[in-house]
Amino acid sequence: QVQLAESGGGLVQAGGSLRLSCAASGRTFSIYAMGWFRQAPGKEREFVSYINWSRGNTIYADSVKGRFTISRGNAQNTVYLQMNNLKPEDTAVYFCSARLLGAQHEYYEAKGYDYWGQGTQVTVSS
């Protein structure tokens, strides 16, 4: 199994910044990629960003491109999401996720990820 734990959420004014972190433990050697998703009230879980666990290539949703940056920690058991120029529409619960080899769905689909953190709330006020 893989365990994921997010942290770093909070309340910030529009235009501000937050840095989310996700610590992975357990069978981390089985991870192919890590992803960030978010879910606002009444909406389905939305893809935010992706990073390949070993190669480091990254992908971003159009809604956050140019504002958010996903990166790996030096020990490579942690993934970060640096969020700049936050907007009220970024308000959501943010989830860290792990994608294993042989995933049956695409990287931008929640169904393409095998393990999930508990989520961390990000609230952006106007």
Side-chain angles (χ1 to χ4, degrees):
Q1 302 101 331
V2 174
Q3 295 82 43
L4 304 173
E6 308 100 327
S7 62
L11 175 64
V12 65
Q13 292 188 11
S17 298
L18 285 173
R19 191 183 197 190
L20 307 183
S21 63
C22 174
S25 60
R27 297 173 61 87
T28 58
F29 53 83
S30 67
I31 296 174
Y32 178 77
M34 302 287 291
W36 286 97
F37 285 73
R38 65 188 183 186
Q39 189 164 22
K43 297 184 178 180
E44 67 179 10
R45 196 160 296 189
E46 174 190 24
F47 170 75
V48 175
S49 190
Y50 163 105
I51 185 167
N52 185 280
W53 191 247
S54 60
R55 296 169 59 194
N57 57 293
T58 59
I59 303 172
Y60 298 91
D62 288 343
S63 59
V64 307
K65 198 172 299 180
R67 300 188 297 119
F68 291 10
T69 303
I70 190 170
S71 62
R72 296 169 294 177
N74 290 335
Q76 296 193 330
N77 63 348
T78 304
V79 63
Y80 299 100
L81 185 69
Q82 177 67 45
M83 306 186 295
N84 297 327
N85 192 24
L86 283 161
K87 303 175 180 180
E89 52 263 43
D90 295 318
T91 295
V93 177
Y94 283 70
F95 295 91
C96 178
S97 56
R99 178 176 170 89
L100 307 183
L101 284 170
Q104 298 299 299
H105 299 276
E106 299 297 333
Y107 69 89
Y108 52 83
E109 296 182 291
K111 293 184 293 184
Y113 294 78
D114 301 278
Y115 296 96
W116 295 85
Q118 80 287 350
T120 185
Q121 176 70 48
V122 172
T123 303
V124 184
S125 62
S126 60

Short mmCIF file of all heavy atoms in Angstrom, two decimals, residues 34-91:
data_model
loop_
_atom_site.label_atom_id
_atom_site.label_comp_id
_atom_site.label_asym_id
_atom_site.label_seq_id
_atom_site.Cartn_x
_atom_site.Cartn_y
_atom_site.Cartn_z
N MET A 34 2.65 11.11 -9.64
CA MET A 34 1.85 11.75 -8.61
C MET A 34 0.98 12.81 -9.26
O MET A 34 1.39 13.45 -10.24
CB MET A 34 2.72 12.38 -7.54
CG MET A 34 3.66 11.40 -6.84
SD MET A 34 2.78 10.31 -5.69
CE MET A 34 2.29 11.48 -4.42
N GLY A 35 -0.18 13.01 -8.70
CA GLY A 35 -1.08 14.02 -9.22
C GLY A 35 -1.72 14.84 -8.11
O GLY A 35 -1.80 14.40 -6.96
N TRP A 36 -2.14 16.03 -8.48
CA TRP A 36 -2.97 16.86 -7.62
C TRP A 36 -4.33 17.04 -8.29
O TRP A 36 -4.41 17.35 -9.49
CB TRP A 36 -2.35 18.24 -7.37
CG TRP A 36 -1.18 18.23 -6.44
CD1 TRP A 36 0.13 18.21 -6.75
CD2 TRP A 36 -1.25 18.27 -5.00
NE1 TRP A 36 0.90 18.23 -5.62
CE2 TRP A 36 0.08 18.27 -4.52
CE3 TRP A 36 -2.29 18.30 -4.08
CZ2 TRP A 36 0.39 18.30 -3.17
CZ3 TRP A 36 -1.99 18.33 -2.73
CH2 TRP A 36 -0.66 18.32 -2.29
N PHE A 37 -5.37 16.82 -7.53
CA PHE A 37 -6.73 17.08 -7.94
C PHE A 37 -7.37 18.02 -6.93
O PHE A 37 -6.88 18.17 -5.81
CB PHE A 37 -7.55 15.79 -8.03
CG PHE A 37 -7.23 14.94 -9.23
CD1 PHE A 37 -6.05 14.22 -9.29
CD2 PHE A 37 -8.12 14.85 -10.28
CE1 PHE A 37 -5.75 13.43 -10.38
CE2 PHE A 37 -7.84 14.06 -11.39
CZ PHE A 37 -6.66 13.36 -11.44
N ARG A 38 -8.46 18.63 -7.32
CA ARG A 38 -9.21 19.47 -6.39
C ARG A 38 -10.70 19.26 -6.60
O ARG A 38 -11.14 18.88 -7.68
CB ARG A 38 -8.84 20.95 -6.54
CG ARG A 38 -9.22 21.56 -7.88
CD ARG A 38 -8.64 22.96 -8.00
NE ARG A 38 -9.02 23.63 -9.22
CZ ARG A 38 -8.56 24.80 -9.62
NH1 ARG A 38 -7.67 25.45 -8.86
NH2 ARG A 38 -8.97 25.34 -10.76
N GLN A 39 -11.45 19.52 -5.55
CA GLN A 39 -12.88 19.34 -5.60
C GLN A 39 -13.56 20.45 -4.82
O GLN A 39 -13.36 20.59 -3.62
CB GLN A 39 -13.29 17.98 -5.05
CG GLN A 39 -14.75 17.63 -5.27
CD GLN A 39 -15.02 16.16 -5.06
OE1 GLN A 39 -14.27 15.47 -4.37
NE2 GLN A 39 -16.09 15.67 -5.67
N ALA A 40 -14.35 21.23 -5.54
CA ALA A 40 -15.14 22.29 -4.93
C ALA A 40 -16.53 21.74 -4.61
O ALA A 40 -16.98 20.76 -5.21
CB ALA A 40 -15.24 23.48 -5.87
N PRO A 41 -17.25 22.37 -3.68
CA PRO A 41 -18.59 21.89 -3.33
C PRO A 41 -19.49 21.81 -4.54
O PRO A 41 -19.57 22.74 -5.35
CB PRO A 41 -19.08 22.94 -2.33
CG PRO A 41 -17.84 23.49 -1.72
CD PRO A 41 -16.83 23.50 -2.83
N GLY A 42 -20.17 20.68 -4.69
CA GLY A 42 -21.09 20.49 -5.80
C GLY A 42 -20.46 20.16 -7.12
O GLY A 42 -21.18 20.02 -8.12
N LYS A 43 -19.14 20.03 -7.17
CA LYS A 43 -18.45 19.72 -8.42
C LYS A 43 -17.70 18.41 -8.31
O LYS A 43 -17.38 17.95 -7.21
CB LYS A 43 -17.49 20.85 -8.78
CG LYS A 43 -18.15 22.19 -9.05
CD LYS A 43 -17.13 23.22 -9.50
CE LYS A 43 -17.78 24.55 -9.81
NZ LYS A 43 -16.79 25.55 -10.26
N GLU A 44 -17.42 17.83 -9.45
CA GLU A 44 -16.64 16.59 -9.46
C GLU A 44 -15.17 16.91 -9.29
O GLU A 44 -14.72 18.04 -9.47
CB GLU A 44 -16.88 15.81 -10.75
CG GLU A 44 -16.36 16.48 -12.00
CD GLU A 44 -16.61 15.64 -13.24
OE1 GLU A 44 -17.35 14.64 -13.14
OE2 GLU A 44 -16.08 15.97 -14.31
N ARG A 45 -14.41 15.90 -8.92
CA ARG A 45 -12.99 16.06 -8.72
C ARG A 45 -12.32 16.45 -10.04
O ARG A 45 -12.53 15.83 -11.08
CB ARG A 45 -12.40 14.77 -8.16
CG ARG A 45 -11.02 14.95 -7.55
CD ARG A 45 -10.70 13.80 -6.60
NE ARG A 45 -11.60 13.77 -5.45
CZ ARG A 45 -11.45 12.98 -4.40
NH1 ARG A 45 -10.42 12.15 -4.33
NH2 ARG A 45 -12.33 13.02 -3.41
N GLU A 46 -11.47 17.48 -9.98
CA GLU A 46 -10.89 18.10 -11.16
C GLU A 46 -9.38 17.94 -11.16
O GLU A 46 -8.71 18.19 -10.15
CB GLU A 46 -11.25 19.59 -11.18
CG GLU A 46 -10.60 20.41 -12.27
CD GLU A 46 -10.80 21.90 -12.08
OE1 GLU A 46 -11.03 22.34 -10.93
OE2 GLU A 46 -10.75 22.63 -13.09
N PHE A 47 -8.83 17.56 -12.30
CA PHE A 47 -7.39 17.43 -12.45
C PHE A 47 -6.72 18.79 -12.34
O PHE A 47 -7.18 19.77 -12.94
CB PHE A 47 -7.06 16.80 -13.80
CG PHE A 47 -5.61 16.84 -14.15
CD1 PHE A 47 -4.71 15.99 -13.54
CD2 PHE A 47 -5.13 17.73 -15.10
CE1 PHE A 47 -3.36 16.02 -13.86
CE2 PHE A 47 -3.79 17.78 -15.43
CZ PHE A 47 -2.91 16.91 -14.80
N VAL A 48 -5.61 18.85 -11.62
CA VAL A 48 -4.85 20.08 -11.46
C VAL A 48 -3.45 19.94 -12.08
O VAL A 48 -3.06 20.75 -12.92
CB VAL A 48 -4.72 20.48 -9.98
CG1 VAL A 48 -3.81 21.70 -9.83
CG2 VAL A 48 -6.09 20.75 -9.38
N SER A 49 -2.71 18.92 -11.66
CA SER A 49 -1.33 18.79 -12.13
C SER A 49 -0.84 17.36 -11.95
O SER A 49 -1.40 16.59 -11.17
CB SER A 49 -0.43 19.77 -11.37
OG SER A 49 0.86 19.83 -11.96
N TYR A 50 0.24 17.06 -12.65
CA TYR A 50 0.81 15.72 -12.72
C TYR A 50 2.32 15.82 -12.77
O TYR A 50 2.86 16.74 -13.40
CB TYR A 50 0.28 15.03 -13.98
CG TYR A 50 1.02 13.81 -14.48
CD1 TYR A 50 0.49 12.53 -14.29
CD2 TYR A 50 2.21 13.92 -15.19
CE1 TYR A 50 1.14 11.41 -14.78
CE2 TYR A 50 2.87 12.79 -15.68
CZ TYR A 50 2.33 11.55 -15.47
OH TYR A 50 2.97 10.43 -15.96
N ILE A 51 3.00 14.89 -12.13
CA ILE A 51 4.44 14.80 -12.25
C ILE A 51 4.84 13.33 -12.29
O ILE A 51 4.41 12.55 -11.44
CB ILE A 51 5.18 15.56 -11.14
CG1 ILE A 51 6.69 15.54 -11.38
CG2 ILE A 51 4.83 15.02 -9.75
CD1 ILE A 51 7.46 16.52 -10.50
N ASN A 52 5.65 12.97 -13.25
CA ASN A 52 6.18 11.62 -13.31
C ASN A 52 7.16 11.42 -12.17
O ASN A 52 8.04 12.25 -11.94
CB ASN A 52 6.85 11.39 -14.67
CG ASN A 52 7.33 9.97 -14.85
OD1 ASN A 52 8.39 9.59 -14.35
ND2 ASN A 52 6.55 9.17 -15.55
N TRP A 53 7.01 10.31 -11.45
CA TRP A 53 7.76 10.11 -10.22
C TRP A 53 9.26 10.03 -10.45
O TRP A 53 10.05 10.52 -9.65
CB TRP A 53 7.25 8.86 -9.51
CG TRP A 53 7.75 8.68 -8.12
CD1 TRP A 53 8.59 7.70 -7.66
CD2 TRP A 53 7.42 9.47 -6.97
NE1 TRP A 53 8.81 7.83 -6.33
CE2 TRP A 53 8.10 8.91 -5.87
CE3 TRP A 53 6.61 10.60 -6.78
CZ2 TRP A 53 8.00 9.44 -4.59
CZ3 TRP A 53 6.51 11.13 -5.50
CH2 TRP A 53 7.20 10.55 -4.43
N SER A 54 9.68 9.40 -11.53
CA SER A 54 11.10 9.21 -11.79
C SER A 54 11.66 10.18 -12.82
O SER A 54 12.79 10.67 -12.66
CB SER A 54 11.37 7.78 -12.22
OG SER A 54 10.66 7.45 -13.40
N ARG A 55 10.92 10.46 -13.86
CA ARG A 55 11.41 11.32 -14.94
C ARG A 55 11.22 12.80 -14.66
O ARG A 55 11.98 13.63 -15.16
CB ARG A 55 10.75 10.94 -16.26
CG ARG A 55 11.08 9.54 -16.73
CD ARG A 55 10.19 9.14 -17.88
NE ARG A 55 10.32 10.05 -19.01
CZ ARG A 55 9.47 10.09 -20.03
NH1 ARG A 55 8.44 9.25 -20.06
NH2 ARG A 55 9.66 10.95 -21.00
N GLY A 56 10.20 13.14 -13.90
CA GLY A 56 9.98 14.52 -13.51
C GLY A 56 9.23 15.39 -14.50
O GLY A 56 9.10 16.59 -14.25
N ASN A 57 8.75 14.84 -15.60
CA ASN A 57 7.96 15.64 -16.52
C ASN A 57 6.65 16.03 -15.86
O ASN A 57 6.09 15.28 -15.05
CB ASN A 57 7.72 14.91 -17.84
CG ASN A 57 7.05 13.57 -17.66
OD1 ASN A 57 7.63 12.64 -17.10
ND2 ASN A 57 5.82 13.47 -18.14
N THR A 58 6.15 17.20 -16.22
CA THR A 58 4.97 17.75 -15.56
C THR A 58 3.89 18.13 -16.56
O THR A 58 4.18 18.45 -17.72
CB THR A 58 5.34 18.99 -14.73
OG1 THR A 58 5.93 19.98 -15.59
CG2 THR A 58 6.33 18.63 -13.64
N ILE A 59 2.66 18.11 -16.09
CA ILE A 59 1.49 18.49 -16.87
C ILE A 59 0.58 19.32 -15.98
O ILE A 59 0.44 19.03 -14.79
CB ILE A 59 0.74 17.26 -17.42
CG1 ILE A 59 1.68 16.37 -18.25
CG2 ILE A 59 -0.46 17.68 -18.26
CD1 ILE A 59 1.05 15.05 -18.66
N TYR A 60 -0.05 20.35 -16.56
CA TYR A 60 -0.93 21.23 -15.81
C TYR A 60 -2.26 21.40 -16.50
O TYR A 60 -2.34 21.44 -17.73
CB TYR A 60 -0.31 22.61 -15.63
CG TYR A 60 0.99 22.60 -14.86
CD1 TYR A 60 2.20 22.48 -15.52
CD2 TYR A 60 0.99 22.70 -13.48
CE1 TYR A 60 3.39 22.45 -14.81
CE2 TYR A 60 2.18 22.68 -12.77
CZ TYR A 60 3.37 22.56 -13.44
OH TYR A 60 4.55 22.53 -12.73
N ALA A 61 -3.31 21.52 -15.71
CA ALA A 61 -4.59 21.93 -16.25
C ALA A 61 -4.50 23.36 -16.76
O ALA A 61 -3.76 24.19 -16.20
CB ALA A 61 -5.68 21.81 -15.18
N ASP A 62 -5.27 23.67 -17.80
CA ASP A 62 -5.24 25.01 -18.36
C ASP A 62 -5.59 26.07 -17.32
O ASP A 62 -5.06 27.19 -17.36
CB ASP A 62 -6.19 25.11 -19.54
CG ASP A 62 -5.70 24.37 -20.77
OD1 ASP A 62 -4.49 24.05 -20.83
OD2 ASP A 62 -6.51 24.10 -21.67
N SER A 63 -6.46 25.74 -16.39
CA SER A 63 -6.93 26.70 -15.42
C SER A 63 -5.84 27.17 -14.44
O SER A 63 -5.99 28.22 -13.82
CB SER A 63 -8.11 26.13 -14.63
OG SER A 63 -7.74 24.94 -13.97
N VAL A 64 -4.77 26.39 -14.30
CA VAL A 64 -3.72 26.74 -13.35
C VAL A 64 -2.37 26.97 -14.02
O VAL A 64 -1.41 27.38 -13.35
CB VAL A 64 -3.57 25.67 -12.26
CG1 VAL A 64 -4.91 25.41 -11.59
CG2 VAL A 64 -2.99 24.38 -12.82
N LYS A 65 -2.28 26.73 -15.31
CA LYS A 65 -1.02 26.87 -16.02
C LYS A 65 -0.48 28.29 -15.90
O LYS A 65 -1.20 29.26 -16.09
CB LYS A 65 -1.23 26.49 -17.49
CG LYS A 65 0.03 26.15 -18.25
CD LYS A 65 -0.32 25.60 -19.64
CE LYS A 65 -1.14 24.32 -19.55
NZ LYS A 65 -1.49 23.78 -20.89
N GLY A 66 0.79 28.39 -15.57
CA GLY A 66 1.42 29.68 -15.37
C GLY A 66 1.32 30.21 -13.97
O GLY A 66 2.01 31.18 -13.63
N ARG A 67 0.47 29.62 -13.13
CA ARG A 67 0.30 30.06 -11.75
C ARG A 67 0.77 29.01 -10.75
O ARG A 67 1.28 29.35 -9.69
CB ARG A 67 -1.16 30.41 -11.47
CG ARG A 67 -1.70 31.53 -12.34
CD ARG A 67 -3.09 31.96 -11.88
NE ARG A 67 -4.07 30.89 -12.01
CZ ARG A 67 -4.75 30.36 -10.99
NH1 ARG A 67 -4.56 30.83 -9.76
NH2 ARG A 67 -5.63 29.39 -11.21
N PHE A 68 0.57 27.74 -11.07
CA PHE A 68 0.92 26.64 -10.17
C PHE A 68 2.15 25.92 -10.70
O PHE A 68 2.37 25.82 -11.92
CB PHE A 68 -0.22 25.63 -10.07
CG PHE A 68 -1.45 26.11 -9.35
CD1 PHE A 68 -1.63 27.43 -9.00
CD2 PHE A 68 -2.44 25.20 -9.03
CE1 PHE A 68 -2.77 27.86 -8.34
CE2 PHE A 68 -3.59 25.60 -8.38
CZ PHE A 68 -3.76 26.93 -8.03
N THR A 69 2.95 25.39 -9.79
CA THR A 69 4.12 24.59 -10.13
C THR A 69 4.16 23.35 -9.27
O THR A 69 4.11 23.44 -8.03
CB THR A 69 5.42 25.39 -9.94
OG1 THR A 69 5.37 26.60 -10.72
CG2 THR A 69 6.62 24.56 -10.38
N ILE A 70 4.26 22.19 -9.91
CA ILE A 70 4.40 20.93 -9.19
C ILE A 70 5.87 20.54 -9.20
O ILE A 70 6.57 20.74 -10.20
CB ILE A 70 3.51 19.83 -9.80
CG1 ILE A 70 3.48 18.59 -8.91
CG2 ILE A 70 3.95 19.48 -11.21
CD1 ILE A 70 2.42 17.57 -9.34
N SER A 71 6.37 20.00 -8.10
CA SER A 71 7.77 19.64 -8.02
C SER A 71 7.96 18.51 -7.02
O SER A 71 7.09 18.22 -6.21
CB SER A 71 8.63 20.85 -7.63
OG SER A 71 8.27 21.34 -6.35
N ARG A 72 9.12 17.87 -7.10
CA ARG A 72 9.49 16.80 -6.20
C ARG A 72 10.43 17.31 -5.12
O ARG A 72 11.25 18.19 -5.37
CB ARG A 72 10.18 15.66 -6.96
CG ARG A 72 9.32 14.97 -7.99
CD ARG A 72 10.17 14.06 -8.84
NE ARG A 72 11.12 14.82 -9.65
CZ ARG A 72 12.02 14.29 -10.46
NH1 ARG A 72 12.12 12.97 -10.57
NH2 ARG A 72 12.84 15.06 -11.16
N GLY A 73 10.32 16.73 -3.93
CA GLY A 73 11.27 17.02 -2.89
C GLY A 73 12.59 16.36 -3.17
O GLY A 73 12.70 15.45 -4.00
N ASN A 74 13.63 16.80 -2.45
CA ASN A 74 14.97 16.25 -2.68
C ASN A 74 15.03 14.75 -2.41
O ASN A 74 15.76 14.03 -3.10
CB ASN A 74 15.99 16.98 -1.81
CG ASN A 74 16.23 18.40 -2.26
OD1 ASN A 74 16.04 18.73 -3.44
ND2 ASN A 74 16.68 19.25 -1.34
N ALA A 75 14.29 14.29 -1.41
CA ALA A 75 14.26 12.87 -1.09
C ALA A 75 13.34 12.08 -2.00
O ALA A 75 13.31 10.86 -1.93
CB ALA A 75 13.85 12.67 0.37
N GLN A 76 12.57 12.77 -2.82
CA GLN A 76 11.64 12.17 -3.79
C GLN A 76 10.57 11.32 -3.14
O GLN A 76 9.98 10.45 -3.78
CB GLN A 76 12.40 11.38 -4.86
CG GLN A 76 13.29 12.27 -5.72
CD GLN A 76 13.81 11.56 -6.96
OE1 GLN A 76 13.99 10.35 -6.97
NE2 GLN A 76 14.04 12.33 -8.01
N ASN A 77 10.30 11.58 -1.88
CA ASN A 77 9.13 11.00 -1.24
C ASN A 77 8.08 12.07 -0.94
O ASN A 77 7.11 11.80 -0.23
CB ASN A 77 9.52 10.27 0.04
CG ASN A 77 10.11 11.19 1.10
OD1 ASN A 77 10.45 12.34 0.82
ND2 ASN A 77 10.25 10.68 2.31
N THR A 78 8.30 13.25 -1.47
CA THR A 78 7.41 14.38 -1.25
C THR A 78 7.17 15.10 -2.57
O THR A 78 8.10 15.26 -3.38
CB THR A 78 8.00 15.37 -0.24
OG1 THR A 78 8.29 14.68 0.99
CG2 THR A 78 7.02 16.49 0.06
N VAL A 79 5.95 15.51 -2.80
CA VAL A 79 5.61 16.32 -3.95
C VAL A 79 4.97 17.61 -3.45
O VAL A 79 4.23 17.60 -2.46
CB VAL A 79 4.69 15.56 -4.93
CG1 VAL A 79 3.35 15.22 -4.28
CG2 VAL A 79 4.48 16.37 -6.20
N TYR A 80 5.28 18.71 -4.11
CA TYR A 80 4.78 20.01 -3.72
C TYR A 80 3.92 20.60 -4.83
O TYR A 80 4.07 20.28 -6.00
CB TYR A 80 5.95 20.98 -3.44
CG TYR A 80 6.85 20.53 -2.33
CD1 TYR A 80 8.06 19.91 -2.61
CD2 TYR A 80 6.50 20.74 -1.00
CE1 TYR A 80 8.90 19.50 -1.59
CE2 TYR A 80 7.34 20.33 0.02
CZ TYR A 80 8.53 19.71 -0.28
OH TYR A 80 9.36 19.31 0.74
N LEU A 81 3.03 21.46 -4.43
CA LEU A 81 2.28 22.27 -5.37
C LEU A 81 2.37 23.72 -4.91
O LEU A 81 1.73 24.11 -3.93
CB LEU A 81 0.81 21.83 -5.45
CG LEU A 81 -0.02 22.54 -6.51
CD1 LEU A 81 0.44 22.12 -7.91
CD2 LEU A 81 -1.50 22.24 -6.34
N GLN A 82 3.20 24.49 -5.60
CA GLN A 82 3.32 25.91 -5.33
C GLN A 82 2.22 26.63 -6.08
O GLN A 82 2.14 26.53 -7.31
CB GLN A 82 4.69 26.43 -5.76
CG GLN A 82 4.88 27.93 -5.57
CD GLN A 82 4.90 28.33 -4.11
OE1 GLN A 82 5.55 27.68 -3.31
NE2 GLN A 82 4.17 29.38 -3.78
N MET A 83 1.39 27.35 -5.37
CA MET A 83 0.24 28.02 -5.95
C MET A 83 0.42 29.53 -5.77
O MET A 83 0.43 30.03 -4.65
CB MET A 83 -1.06 27.56 -5.29
CG MET A 83 -1.24 26.05 -5.32
SD MET A 83 -2.86 25.53 -4.69
CE MET A 83 -2.71 26.06 -2.99
N ASN A 84 0.57 30.23 -6.88
CA ASN A 84 0.74 31.67 -6.88
C ASN A 84 -0.44 32.34 -7.54
O ASN A 84 -1.18 31.73 -8.32
CB ASN A 84 2.03 32.06 -7.62
CG ASN A 84 3.27 31.54 -6.96
OD1 ASN A 84 3.34 31.42 -5.73
ND2 ASN A 84 4.29 31.23 -7.76
N ASN A 85 -0.60 33.63 -7.26
CA ASN A 85 -1.69 34.42 -7.83
C ASN A 85 -3.02 33.70 -7.69
O ASN A 85 -3.77 33.54 -8.65
CB ASN A 85 -1.39 34.75 -9.30
CG ASN A 85 -2.33 35.79 -9.87
OD1 ASN A 85 -2.90 36.60 -9.13
ND2 ASN A 85 -2.50 35.77 -11.18
N LEU A 86 -3.31 33.28 -6.49
CA LEU A 86 -4.52 32.51 -6.24
C LEU A 86 -5.77 33.34 -6.50
O LEU A 86 -5.80 34.55 -6.26
CB LEU A 86 -4.52 31.98 -4.82
CG LEU A 86 -3.61 30.77 -4.61
CD1 LEU A 86 -3.30 30.58 -3.13
CD2 LEU A 86 -4.26 29.52 -5.18
N LYS A 87 -6.79 32.66 -6.98
CA LYS A 87 -8.06 33.27 -7.32
C LYS A 87 -9.17 32.61 -6.51
O LYS A 87 -9.04 31.45 -6.12
CB LYS A 87 -8.35 33.12 -8.81
CG LYS A 87 -7.27 33.70 -9.71
CD LYS A 87 -7.56 33.41 -11.18
CE LYS A 87 -6.48 33.97 -12.07
NZ LYS A 87 -6.76 33.70 -13.50
N PRO A 88 -10.28 33.31 -6.29
CA PRO A 88 -11.38 32.68 -5.56
C PRO A 88 -11.83 31.36 -6.17
O PRO A 88 -12.24 30.46 -5.43
CB PRO A 88 -12.49 33.74 -5.62
CG PRO A 88 -11.74 35.03 -5.69
CD PRO A 88 -10.54 34.74 -6.54
N GLU A 89 -11.77 31.23 -7.48
CA GLU A 89 -12.18 29.99 -8.12
C GLU A 89 -11.23 28.83 -7.85
O GLU A 89 -11.54 27.69 -8.21
CB GLU A 89 -12.35 30.18 -9.63
CG GLU A 89 -11.16 30.83 -10.32
CD GLU A 89 -11.34 32.33 -10.52
OE1 GLU A 89 -11.82 33.01 -9.58
OE2 GLU A 89 -11.01 32.82 -11.61
N ASP A 90 -10.08 29.09 -7.24
CA ASP A 90 -9.19 28.02 -6.81
C ASP A 90 -9.64 27.38 -5.50
O ASP A 90 -9.06 26.37 -5.09
CB ASP A 90 -7.76 28.55 -6.64
CG ASP A 90 -7.14 29.01 -7.94
OD1 ASP A 90 -7.33 28.33 -8.97
OD2 ASP A 90 -6.46 30.06 -7.92
N THR A 91 -10.62 27.95 -4.86
CA THR A 91 -11.10 27.43 -3.59
C THR A 91 -11.63 26.01 -3.78
O THR A 91 -12.51 25.76 -4.61
CB THR A 91 -12.20 28.32 -3.01
OG1 THR A 91 -11.64 29.60 -2.69
CG2 THR A 91 -12.79 27.71 -1.75
#
